[in-house]
Amino acid sequence: MERFIKLIKNRSDIGAGTRGSDLGIDAIEIAAINKNSDYFNRFEFDDVKSHNESIYDKNRNAFAKRIEHVLEQCTRVCSSVKNNLKENFFPIVLSGDHSSALGTISGIKAVYPDKRLGVVWIDAHADLHSPYTSPSGNIHGMPLAAALGEDNLNCQVNKIIPETKKHWEALKNIGYPGAKVVPEDLIYFGVRDTEEAEDKQIEKFKIKNYKVDEVRYRGLENCVEEALARLSNCDMIYISFDVDSMDCDMISYGTGTPVPKGFDQYEIIDIINQIIKSQKVVCVEFVEINPLLDTKGNKMAETAFEVLEQITPSIILPIEQ
């Protein structure tokens, strides 16, 4: 049975600390045009309504900035992913900032509430903060905490107002009540920039992080095979690819929080393709391309498009009945 792709374009950057990732989708499309590719004419797409002007609103929720609008945006993404999965599309979500991943995960669980979801998080950051622990208040650092239903109160440093708490509880319950993922079904690739509160969660839950050095030392295929074995009890897998998982010095600084010593694009392609071949992947997401910060023209978007082009054949190959 062939799988039909639907592109979900979520031009929202309100969960980030820096403007510009809302332009990442257009930057990828420009990269395709400059490569004489018809990629974006080959697939149907959904444009998710955004609320980017809210970034200029006076912020009452200092430890979860614009949380009421992130809640609204994640709910929209959830609805789009849910509807497309119900119509038997394979969603490729192209988003601005990484807070969107909570909407995507929630949409998957809304369609498959009785199935166990594995998450492969390819990122330089753990994104395990909550409003109680976040040093920045930017919600693109919180989607996994919300998906896991974890406040990490043992590491609390922020005293949040009732309004923030109300919206945070609503975020944790989008699409499907309670936790969408259990910690043992979360696997990191490339995480290398974390805070103490996140480190304690990773240690507490024994979340596996395949660091760049380990992948190169042990072999990429071995590490991905082991990761899939760890997710063997999962019925389905979601892959979230943040471009800051790639080496900023080698590739580009065109992302909100660049970190050196990351993967190159060929390693990302191989990781994603090997996971897709498990036939458990139901959705892939690309996030955090920021052309306003790119000092090499449109290099980050061009590299992200290269990854997108190279993983798409693995998705659309016929799968077993």
Side-chain angles (χ1 to χ4, degrees):
M1 181 177 69
E2 187 177 5
R3 293 194 282 195
F4 294 95
I5 288 170
K6 176 72 75 72
L7 302 176
I8 297 176
K9 303 177 184 180
N10 173 39
R11 295 178 175 86
S12 177
D13 67 355
I14 57 176
T18 307
R19 290 304 313 268
S21 60
D22 60 318
L23 302 172
I25 294 91
D26 295 319
I28 295 177
E29 294 195 27
I30 290 168
I33 291 169
N34 289 339
K35 201 175 178 182
N36 294 318
S37 169
D38 67 346
Y39 187 95
F40 287 93
N41 294 322
R42 285 162 46 199
F43 305 109
E44 295 182 43
F45 66 90
D46 276 355
D47 266 320
V48 180
K49 182 181 177 183
S50 65
H51 202 143
N52 289 331
E53 66 275 12
S54 69
I55 204 162
Y56 302 112
D57 293 350
K58 186 176 180 181
N59 186 31
R60 298 182 302 278
N61 300 281
F63 301 116
K65 296 172 184 174
R66 296 170 292 280
I67 189 170
E68 67 274 29
H69 299 303
V70 174
L71 170 62
E72 181 181 44
Q73 196 64 29
C74 285
T75 302
R76 290 170 177 158
V77 173
C78 171
S79 178
S80 179
V81 170
K82 177 179 70 175
N83 292 338
N84 282 291
L85 284 172
K86 281 184 174 180
E87 293 174 10
N88 294 318
F89 284 105
F90 184 104
I92 296 179
V93 185
L94 305 176
S95 284
D97 76 82
H98 214 165
S99 65
S100 61
L102 174 62
T104 304
I105 290 170
S106 300
I108 296 169
K109 280 297 288 187
V111 179
Y112 305 113
D114 299 323
K115 290 189 175 184
R116 189 162 164 178
L117 176 61
V119 171
V120 176
W121 200 261
I122 308 172
D123 197 329
H125 305 92
D127 294 341
L128 276 175
H129 277 295
S130 76
Y132 300 97
T133 68
S134 174
S136 69
N138 297 322
I139 303 178
H140 70 167
M142 307 184 196
L144 281 177
L148 292 167
E150 286 291 333
D151 297 338
N152 196 10
L153 296 179
N154 288 337
C155 295
Q156 180 175 357
V157 292
N158 303 324
K159 185 176 181 180
I160 67 173
I161 62 175
E163 180 185 16
T164 301
K165 182 176 181 179
K166 180 186 75 172
H167 292 314
W168 176 246
E169 292 302 317
L171 268 174
K172 291 190 291 183
N173 288 283
I174 294 173
Y176 173 90
K180 282 78 176 167
V181 183
V182 294
E184 56 264 37
D185 294 340
L186 166 62
I187 289 180
Y188 289 129
F189 276 87
V191 170
R192 58 195 183 279
D193 184 14
T194 57
E195 281 86 32
E196 183 181 0
E198 295 177 303
D199 292 336
K200 287 186 175 180
Q201 290 291 75
I202 292 169
E203 182 181 0
K204 173 184 174 182
F205 293 119
K206 297 181 173 60
I207 299 170
K208 178 59 183 175
N209 176 21
Y210 290 96
K211 295 184 179 182
V212 177
D213 288 347
E214 179 182 355
V215 170
R216 290 175 179 165
Y217 177 75
R218 294 182 54 207
L220 186 148
E221 286 189 11
N222 290 333
C223 290
V224 177
E225 185 178 343
E226 183 178 286
L228 289 170
R230 288 173 178 269
L231 300 178
S232 60
N233 291 324
C234 294
D235 304 295
M236 53 189 180
I237 295 172
Y238 155 70
I239 302 173
S240 200
F241 166 48
D242 187 324
V243 296
D244 70 24
S245 61
M246 296 188 292
D247 191 311
C248 59
D249 293 322
M250 183 190 309
I251 308 294
S252 168
Y253 277 71
T255 186
T257 47
V259 185
K261 299 181 179 179
F263 293 115
D264 64 35
Q265 69 267 41
Y266 308 110
E267 291 168 315
I268 298 294
I269 291 165
D270 287 346
I271 290 167
I272 295 175
N273 273 336
Q274 189 174 339
I275 297 167
I276 290 172
K277 287 176 184 176
S278 73
Q279 300 188 358
K280 287 186 175 183
V281 179
V282 295
C283 180
V284 176
E285 185 160 10
F286 283 53
V287 301
E288 296 282 359
I289 299 140
N290 190 331
L292 297 185
L293 301 176
D294 202 326
T295 58
K296 299 180 180 178
N298 198 32
K299 180 66 174 177
M300 184 63 88
E302 290 167 357
T303 306
F305 180 61
E306 182 180 355
V307 175
L308 183 60
E309 268 196 314
Q310 294 299 317
I311 70 163
T312 298
S314 298
I315 295 170
I316 61 178
L317 283 172
I319 61 175
E320 296 176 1
Q321 297 289 338

